[in-house]
Amino acid sequence: MLFQTCQKYDWPIHKFECPALVAHAERRVASTKPDDGEENGNIPDTLPIPSETSREKPGSGKRKEFELMQSHREDLAPSSPQTASYTRLGHALASYVSHGEPSPEKLGALGIASAKDIVDLLSKFSTNAHTLSTPSLTPIGVAISPIAALINHSCLPNCVIVFPKAHKLPNQLEVICIRPMNPGEELTTSYVDMALPAEHRQTILRERYMFECKCESCRLAVAKLDDYVDGRRALRCARRECEGFLPLPKLDDPELLTDEKKCLQCRTVCRIEPPAIADAIRIGEEGLEKAEALQFDDPERAFKLTSNLIPLLSKFFHVGAHPLLSLSRLHLALLISQLQENSQILDETIRAAARVAAGVSAIYPPGHPTRGVAYAELGKLLAADEYVPPGEKPVEATASELDPKANVVWVAGDDGHVPRGVERLRMAHHSLLTARKELLIGFGTINEGGVVGRMVSDLAKQLEREVTIWRRAGGGRRPDPGAAV
Ligand SMILES: [Zn+2]
Ligand SMILES: [Zn+2]
Ligand SMILES: [Zn+2]
């Protein structure tokens, strides 16, 4: 049901413009009086469109699986936002399958006898849906898997759900275990973005899945222990080069104007102004929401927002903290979308990718596919041809720089310089190998790390050949990439 052409757009926005939905909206406008108009965009286009051929007969395997799926209809409070959304969606769905005004005969033929059945259907759909994503983790739709939906949630899961072969249809969902497990240990996946702090995750889990998460990560966040700091709410250490977490001060005490906290890594005592931190969180979260809403319609304004907010938040927060990490990811995506037309922003894009990789690796557990994808992005950007300003010559390498024993270490700072020449290629190679290691776990060794895993392996090998050719040439300019293929 997924349109190949739809896939380059992110699902949250795409669902409002999908051809399938537009066609439906036009039919509705032609056949009925539009009531509030807003409903039209609300039907996910992956819902089965009923027809004699696509309908599962009662008693069929798939139909039984669907009937057994969990519905939260009975837990819904009449006044909850979820109920309101189901009511709206239910009405739209009933007219959708009736090709006009809801028709009891047409609905009855599909086994829908009442409004209650529709709410059940919608509740099952939203409770059992997984985000369908590309091999580089761009969300492109929803996938329904009653079996995978049986896996319980944890904010610190031992499994992930991926679609390593998403270029092939049908998209096959795979559950991949990302850390060693004991026999009998329960499989868990995360239903929410792991970059979100505990209170945000809890709200989503309560509203959408109707449960209170009591996982280790949530318990620790609630317990407010002195020696535990959730990176999603961590401040940065006053020592610029330290990557340790600094605990968040109390933010709900208006009397508390200054406070002191100790860095968990280097134990440096840092002075903090809680009111400034509280302001930064509020401004950052509002800005993130605005920038996310603008990213497709007005990317320039979204870019301005992320460009202004990131330096502001970076003064206080750890690179992995929320909403700094989410802003950095959006900023990177906006930069990458401009890169093809404007190669001058390559170094800026590399700095953004390095910040995302540092943030993601501080928050996501080892082997999580998000980490591999972040390092792959960084490696790919570092491997690209450098931008050479008009009138300047490309960097040249000396024979000693090309010595395979030369050791190069580069740590990306705030305004940090981006290495050039061989040093940059070594960095690229290192990022690609890190990505490969992570992707083999996150997308599965059996899948060779998925599409991105195979891409980073190929690119790393190509760089190795390129540096060999460069060394044999005794230095000078970077060889033409074609020479290495
Ligand atoms: Zn679509
Ligand atoms: Zn939790
Ligand atoms: Zn420190």
Side-chain angles (χ1 to χ4, degrees):
M1 286 292 180
L2 195 81
F3 291 81
Q4 286 286 355
T5 51
C6 305
Q7 296 191 7
K8 59 186 165 133
Y9 299 105
D10 274 5
W11 176 251
I13 294 295
H14 165 66
K15 67 181 173 186
F16 295 106
E17 60 188 16
C18 174
L21 296 173
V22 172
H24 163 62
E26 280 163 2
R27 243 194 341 263
R28 260 180 71 83
V29 171
S31 64
T32 64
K33 277 180 250 142
D35 18 30
D36 81 21
E38 194 207 325
E39 310 168 344
N40 294 337
N42 275 328
I43 305 171
D45 69 339
T46 42
L47 266 186
I49 297 167
S51 72
E52 286 310 315
T53 48
S54 70
R55 223 157 78 199
E56 292 291 331
K57 301 271 174 303
S60 77
K62 274 198 184 136
R63 177 107 182 196
K64 267 192 199 143
E65 268 185 27
F66 193 81
E67 278 160 8
L68 284 172
M69 275 171 20
Q70 198 184 3
S71 156
H72 286 298
R73 178 177 53 80
E74 282 169 7
D75 307 326
L76 285 169
S79 58
S80 76
Q82 201 69 42
T83 308
S85 130
Y86 284 160
T87 309
R88 232 184 12 248
L89 266 169
H91 187 82
L93 180 62
S95 14
Y96 182 53
V97 298
S98 307
H99 303 288
E101 276 303 309
S103 133
E105 296 88 75
K106 283 184 180 150
L107 289 167
L110 294 164
I112 300 170
S114 64
K116 171 177 123 321
D117 289 345
I118 294 190
V119 176
D120 256 336
L121 181 77
L122 292 169
S123 175
K124 282 179 177 180
F125 189 79
S126 81
T127 309
N128 297 281
H130 300 276
T131 303
L132 174 66
S133 55
T134 63
S136 54
L137 305 180
T138 303
I140 49 170
V142 279
I144 297 284
S145 166
I147 305 254
L150 292 175
I151 302 175
N152 280 332
H153 163 88
S154 165
C155 302
L156 201 65
N158 50 24
C159 294
V160 290
I161 287 179
V162 288
F163 301 84
K165 299 166 207 146
H167 283 326
K168 280 189 204 144
L169 288 173
N171 299 294
Q172 202 182 349
L173 176 151
E174 291 189 26
V175 178
I176 310 264
C177 166
I178 56 168
R179 62 175 146 92
M181 282 166 61
N182 295 315
E185 200 181 316
E186 184 185 6
L187 303 180
T188 53
T189 62
S190 179
Y191 298 177
V192 292
D193 182 359
M194 293 178 70
L196 295 172
E199 67 270 24
H200 289 15
R201 300 195 305 268
Q202 298 258 353
T203 305
I204 298 174
L205 294 169
R206 208 178 304 123
E207 284 177 2
R208 199 175 307 158
Y209 301 95
M210 320 267 166
F211 70 87
E212 214 57 55
C213 186
K214 296 200 170 74
C215 78
E216 187 67 8
S217 181
C218 287
R219 268 211 308 264
L220 284 169
V222 173
K224 300 212 181 335
L225 306 166
D226 284 343
D227 56 348
Y228 173 80
V229 178
D230 183 355
R232 301 161 181 93
R233 278 297 186 222
L235 301 179
R236 68 182 294 177
C237 178
R239 285 181 54 222
R240 297 277 98 161
E241 69 280 17
C242 175
E243 286 174 20
F245 292 152
L246 193 71
L248 201 64
K250 260 181 82 140
L251 297 177
D252 50 4
D253 179 359
E255 307 280 291
L256 191 65
L257 297 181
T258 59
D259 199 359
E260 285 185 343
K261 292 280 175 192
K262 210 185 263 178
C263 168
L264 251 62
Q265 195 169 302
C266 71
R267 316 306 294 175
T268 299
V269 177
C270 309
R271 257 177 79 86
I272 316 164
E273 291 172 14
I277 308 284
D279 276 350
I281 292 182
R282 187 181 42 81
I283 294 168
E285 293 200 344
E286 284 170 10
L288 174 64
E289 202 176 309
K290 229 189 253 164
E292 278 179 341
L294 285 171
Q295 61 177 315
F296 299 104
D297 291 338
D298 195 347
E300 260 169 62
R301 264 183 69 205
F303 185 70
K304 235 179 227 155
L305 269 169
T306 54
S307 307
N308 292 336
L309 288 167
I310 290 169
L312 178 84
L313 296 186
S314 298
K315 273 198 281 188
F316 305 110
F317 297 98
H318 191 273
V319 278
H322 183 78
L324 180 56
L325 177 55
S326 298
L327 282 164
S328 301
R329 283 159 108 174
L330 178 53
H331 189 67
L332 174 61
L334 292 166
L335 278 167
I336 288 175
S337 69
Q338 299 167 48
L339 194 55
Q340 211 141 43
E341 275 138 53
N342 181 8
S343 52
Q344 285 185 52
I345 58 171
L346 177 61
D347 284 12
E348 193 185 344
T349 311
I350 290 174
R351 275 191 290 271
R355 204 166 39 229
V356 169
V360 158
S361 58
I363 300 301
Y364 290 76
H368 194 284
T370 303
R371 291 165 62 115
V373 168
Y375 283 113
E377 200 74 77
L378 176 61
K380 227 165 56 179
L381 290 165
L382 284 164
D385 270 333
E386 286 176 36
Y387 170 71
V388 182
E392 279 185 33
K393 277 204 215 144
V395 217
E396 298 198 352
T398 61
S400 65
E401 277 181 302
L402 284 157
D403 184 340
K405 286 184 230 79
N407 202 9
V408 190
V409 182
W410 172 62
V411 181
D414 286 335
D415 29 73
H417 96 117
V418 179
R420 302 188 65 188
V422 205
E423 199 185 342
R424 187 189 286 216
L425 288 198
R426 288 227 170 84
M427 200 58 227
H429 190 249
H430 179 76
S431 300
L432 293 168
L433 293 190
T434 308
R436 187 179 135 81
K437 213 172 71 194
E438 299 272 357
L439 291 163
L440 283 177
I441 303 172
F443 283 104
T445 314
I446 199 165
N447 298 317
E448 296 169 79
V451 175
V452 184
R454 287 192 293 277
M455 183 277 286
V456 295
S457 297
D458 291 347
L459 189 50
K461 278 181 212 146
Q462 191 190 313
L463 287 184
E464 284 159 26
R465 284 194 294 267
E466 210 178 290
V467 172
T468 309
I469 292 170
W470 205 350
R471 193 172 61 239
R472 283 187 190 141
R477 281 190 190 182
R478 178 177 176 180
D480 183 359
V485 184

